[in-house]
Structures are given as C-alpha cells and as structure tokens.
Amino acid sequence: MGRIVALLIAVLAAASVRAEGVQVPGIAPADRRSGFETMGPDVQAMQRDDFSNPAMLGVAAGEAAWSRAPENGKPACSGCHGDIDAAMRGVDARYPARDAKSGAVLDLPGRIQTCQSVNQGLSPQPRESDGLLALQAAIALRSRGMPIEPPSARGLSDGVQRGEALYRQRFGQLNLACAQCHDANWGRALGGTRIPQGHPTGYPLFRLEWQSIGSLQRRLRNCLTGVRAEPFPSGASEWLDLELFLRERAAGMASDAPGVRP
Amino acid sequence: MRRVALVIGLAAWLAGPIAGRVAVGAPMEKGAVPEAAPLATSRPPDPANGRRIVVDRRRGFCLLCHSGPFPEERFHGDLAPSLAGAGLRWSEGQIRARLIDSTAINPDTIMPPYFKSEGGYRLGRAFAGKPILNAEEIEDVTAFLATLRD
C-alpha cells in the first residue's frame, strides 16, 4: 500500500514538473557553440585582439586594484594571494563555488565582495559597479581558454536542478522559457538578432549594445525584461541557480572571458 | 474548445519529448484549429490599423518571429511561418483564436498569448492586468490578416 502511494506520488510529481516546464531537447555536447563562435566575424575580430577588446580596459583597472592596499591598513588582494597570474589561474572556471568558511555558495562577484568585507574590512563594491566588474574581468582573464568545470562535480547539483527548472519555466507576458529560445531556436533570427545558445562563457563582457562592460546577471535581466517579466531582485538565489545550470550546461566549453558581444 | 486543447495537450504529453529540433511552421491541419467568435468592441475593425500593429515593434512585434509581405521592414524573424497567405489558409475565427491564446492550439507554441489578462509567471509590473493587445486591436489584426490572400 505504502509502495503504491509512493509510486502515485512519484508519478504525480513527474507529471507536475512536466506540465510546468517546457520540454524541448537540449543541445548535444558536440553541437554546443559559445556566443563568440556564433557572432559575426567583425565582433569576433574585436574580441580576438586584446588592443581592440574594450573589456581589456576593465582588466587593466582590475589589475591595478588587485595590488592597491585599502587605506584602513588591511592588505591588498595581492597581499594575501600574491601574483594574480599564478593565484587566480583557473579560478573563474570553477565558479560559482561553496565558501569553505560560511558554507554559502558564491558566484565570482560574490566571492570578491566577501573578500572585500571579511578580509579587507571594506564595504563591498556593489554588483555592476565598474570597480567590481574590473576585478572580476582581471580574474576571469586568468581562466581564458580553460574548460568550464561542472558545478555538479563540486557538490552543487541541487542548485543546478533548481536552475534547470527556471530555465524551462515560461516567464512574463510573452510566456517564453529560456529553453524555447536558446535550445529550440538558437541560430534563428529574432527580428534582426541571431539567437545564441546562451552560454555563460564570456562574462563579464563588453556589449556593444550596452556600450559598457556588464555581468551575466545583467544579461539575464535583459532576457527576462525582454519577455516582459519582472526580473528577480538583486541578490536573489534564483540568479545563482540559473548561473549554476548554465555553467553545468556549458561544462567543458572553453572560457572566453572577458568577451565582446553585439 | 477547451476540450480540443486538452486532447491536443494530452497527445503531446503522451508522445513524450520530440526528437531533434522542432521544425518551423510544421503545417497544421485546418480542421484541428478551433475558431473564436468576434470580441466585443467599441468600433468596427480597421485592417489598416491592424497592419500598423503587426509591424510595430512595441505593439504586435509579429515580425520578431514571422516574415511577411512587408517590404518596408528591414528585419523579419524566421522562427515562425510567413504571414503571407494567412487569409487563404485560415478562417477569421481561426486567426482570432491563434491571436487570443496560441497555447490553446499548440501547448508548446512560442507564440505569445495576445489577449490573456492573467499574464504569465513573474509578469512585469508595467504589464499587470493588461493583455498584449486590446479587443479592438485583436479585431484589427484579425481583419488585416484575413486580407493576406496570396
């Protein structure tokens, strides 16, 4: 009897997930293409050349900030970590990650903010501020070309699953799910824009449309307002869950941060 | 009409995930598409206004997904069948049903529901309580599409 009830619950649970989430097949690993690969050759050329990639200005600012000690007498980033090339090699490729001390799961900007407050006694720079994006870009550069590591290998499968449910959720007045554009219709023309596969490989990046460097969250906010949905508040766990799923989906793809996109 | 949607929905559910990418504009049998009765409006339909709504990027934004006989518009989408000949393929009632809520015809559709005021999940604050198009606009677009006969 208990078994039958359990079976029934399992069937009902499966049915409700199915009914809520959009079920389109994912992209086979061999068919995955980063936004860099699918964008036009002129923007690709801009990203390939560090002297024309505007995100490299952020890298320079971030490198300067890396070794600048705060006025309160606490150490600079370099005071704890040493040389950025050696210390930050491969770090961005394995974020988001769990903070060993607090147990909290942090994305890279969240990690930087935590260091700023805990280790430097500063009030952390806000997300989307030039200062935080610059540090993030300088750190991300040290993972360029490296394969993105799947969050599930770091014990973060729960977040990956929550993120996938959000990815399959229809949102907003236009009633569209991420999966409907990025799995089912990538490569097609949405008006004048080619839909990319939606991989998080290049962030933070310089977007010509923004005329500035911006974060993955800013990109996802744009996709949500695009379908006339209310974006999650800044700091909401949904952003982290979505990023965890996108990183899992892109596992093994090469990081191309800090990138350029149209 | 509810029942038709339910049956189509169940069939899709039982068929399971579709293999490969979904084809654009897989032809639908005319008989399988329900008809919707004209909406109550304050004035007769205006097909010329319907055309303006179809090409307007903030009102109908149909060309985000569809192409069609709109040579003055530079960018047409290719996520959906061309609107050319829509009036030959479908009755006015079927066009109206398609606009009001496409998910009643194809539960997996990407075409937004243009006349549903409940709104979607996490509906943007600015759009609360309003359908994408109002009844007059739905009738205008319906009347315009019915004129697309070649």
Side-chain angles (χ1 to χ4, degrees), chain A residues 17 26 38 50 59 61 69 71 95 99 101 111 127 130 140 145 157 231 236:
Chain A
V17 167
T38 55
D50 281 347
V59 169
E71 284 166 13
Y95 261 77
D99 178 22
K101 256 192 224 146
R111 169 75 263 169
R127 278 176 186 273
D130 289 344
S157 299

Side-chain angles (χ1 to χ4, degrees), chain A residues 67-86:
Chain A
S67 45
R68 196 184 308 122
E71 284 166 13
N72 62 12
K74 300 268 185 168
C77 315
S78 60
C80 289
H81 297 281
D83 177 55
I84 190 169
D85 276 332

Side-chain angles (χ1 to χ4, degrees), chain B:
Chain B
M1 184 155 139
R2 280 250 130 154
R3 171 144 298 179
V4 172
L6 194 71
V7 170
I8 295 175
L10 267 175
W13 194 84
L14 291 172
I18 316 129
R21 295 182 67 194
V22 190
V24 165
M28 239 181 178
E29 245 184 83
K30 192 162 178 170
V33 176
E35 307 223 358
L39 301 172
T41 54
S42 57
R43 57 164 174 78
D46 174 358
N49 191 43
R51 189 185 195 282
R52 281 193 293 277
I53 293 167
V54 166
V55 299
D56 188 318
R57 314 223 139 233
R58 306 201 154 265
R59 293 207 284 162
F61 45 84
C62 312
L63 300 189
L64 272 186
C65 297
H66 291 274
S67 55
F70 311 99
E72 78 281 14
E73 290 295 320
R74 218 167 129 218
F75 297 112
H76 295 205
D78 64 4
L79 307 185
S82 168
L83 294 177
L88 280 180
R89 288 191 296 282
W90 310 104
S91 70
E92 278 206 28
Q94 288 174 320
I95 292 172
R96 188 179 294 110
R98 165 73 70 188
L99 288 170
I100 289 174
D101 181 7
S102 245
T103 61
I105 298 168
N106 168 13
D108 298 325
T109 192
I110 58 168
M111 177 154 155
Y114 279 91
F115 195 68
K116 247 178 108 175
S117 44
E118 309 91 283
Y121 179 63
R122 290 196 66 83
L123 177 68
R125 246 169 252 144
F127 306 99
K130 287 179 235 163
I132 303 175
L133 298 177
N134 64 33
E136 283 74 19
E137 291 169 323
I138 294 284
E139 292 304 322
D140 293 351
V141 174
T142 302
F144 168 64
L145 290 190
T147 69
L148 298 180
R149 304 192 66 86
D150 47 34

